[in-house]
Amino acid sequence: MQRSQSHAAPVATSEPLPGLRTLVPVIMLMAVTYVFYGWDRLVMPVELVEIRRTLNLDQKAAGFMASIFTLGIAVLSLPAGILVARLGLKRALGISTLVFSCGTLLSGMANTVPMLVAGRLATGAGESLFSIALLMIIVALFPRWRGTAIGGATAIFGLSMFVGPRMVLAMQDMGGGDWRFPFKLMGGAGVATGLCLLLFVPDRLQAEEAAPAILGDFSWLRSRPLQAVYVMAAANGLCCYAYMSLFQTYARIGQHLTPTQASLAFGCFGIGNILGGVPIGLVLDRTDRFRGVAILSALTGLTGAALFMWSLHETSAIVFSLIFGVGIGGIYGNCYALARENAPAARASLAIGVLLTVYYLAASTSGYVFVLAMGDDFTANLRGALLMFLLPYTLAACVMFATKRA
């Protein structure tokens, strides 16, 4: 296999990067923030049964609500790509954390559906800016090992997925059984970390691009490899968030697993992210990333379909969730690396912004599409599993293979 081509450029900074003693605490602080970012996404899936009862939602409306925050990410990812370059990484990280944490707090105060929607959209808006800033830091610090470094970030996210469902349930117990309390607790903690990021991230930490350009030549977006990467990102966003948003409800209602069993299986999906992120990134950094992602996509589609086409018990839910998480984690990180490698260095944040827009637009429909494919009763069925998981990943893999041959 041929080594994938990289358009890496040196980190464009007017000053040298901060020393290790400065960077390690900052990276640790960003990792803590990323954990809150991950846990916020779990409150709705874990608490969805209770939220449905409180707000009197039907199954399709509940599925839509479970992934609605991703619409905020999708809508603002393009302007966020420009804002990150204009604000600088320090302010982008701090401000975005404050915005998504305030959205989480608002969700915790919601007594009506419109108020909850507003809170989730605000959370998504902040997370769009945060995602781009975080990824720009990673590719700036590790230009030769992008896939591996982003896989490391995916591992942090996966760890938060593993412990997150049980943490949400524990926080709910702390709040006397109120589903709103985890939102309030994490929103407050997120505000504190946002203020710390504004105070402690060095000003001279810069992204790879020297200056943002809003107007100019956008012909690079017509690159066939880049368009193929965006197709893959759309498939991955749709299927990943279908699982993340509704697996626990599916397991409890349709498969009659207990909340603890469903949360354990979901947590193993997070472990799969950890196992898939760094090792797959390391392999694809040294081989052919494009073809490797295409092969991984086909295998992930098979695993996702297997998870939902048969009746589940605790062991099968754990095993298939773990393997599915490995594929999701590997595709996720390497799509970012491919977007960066197939875009001009001066448009890196914008290329990632487009990727996030595509990924989260697909994700925002995932809950509704999952209910359409699997049915309101959430029973396992072959047709729904093939349509929901195998078809998108197979089509994306075919597009990437066709592009590679062209």
Side-chain angles (χ1 to χ4, degrees), residues 274-289:
I274 296 172
L275 297 175
V278 173
I280 292 174
L282 184 62
V283 170
L284 297 188
D285 276 337
R286 300 170 64 87
T287 54
D288 186 332
R289 195 188 315 278

Side-chain angles (χ1 to χ4, degrees), residues 20-43:
L20 192 61
R21 288 184 180 179
T22 302
L23 281 177
V24 169
V26 168
I27 290 172
M28 294 298 293
L29 182 59
M30 289 189 295
V32 169
T33 309
Y34 202 27
V35 169
F36 288 134
Y37 170 101
W39 285 357
D40 171 87
R41 298 168 180 229
L42 298 180
V43 181

Side-chain angles (χ1 to χ4, degrees), residues 7 42 50 73 124 131 138 143 145 167 179 220 226-227 243 250-251 287 322 329 333 356 363 369 381:
H7 301 288
L42 298 180
E50 286 72 23
I73 303 178
S131 296
I138 291 171
W145 298 97
M167 289 299 299
W179 62 264
W220 55 274
L226 198 56
Q227 290 178 350
Y243 177 93
Y250 168 85
T287 54
L322 178 71
L356 284 170
V369 173
N381 69 85

Side-chain angles (χ1 to χ4, degrees), residues 11 86 89 121 170 198 223 229 234 282 306 331 342 351 354 389-390 399:
V11 177
R86 289 198 170 275
L89 295 181
L121 289 175
L198 286 173
S223 159
V229 171
L282 184 62
I331 294 170
N342 287 280
V354 175
F389 294 98
L390 184 62
V399 169

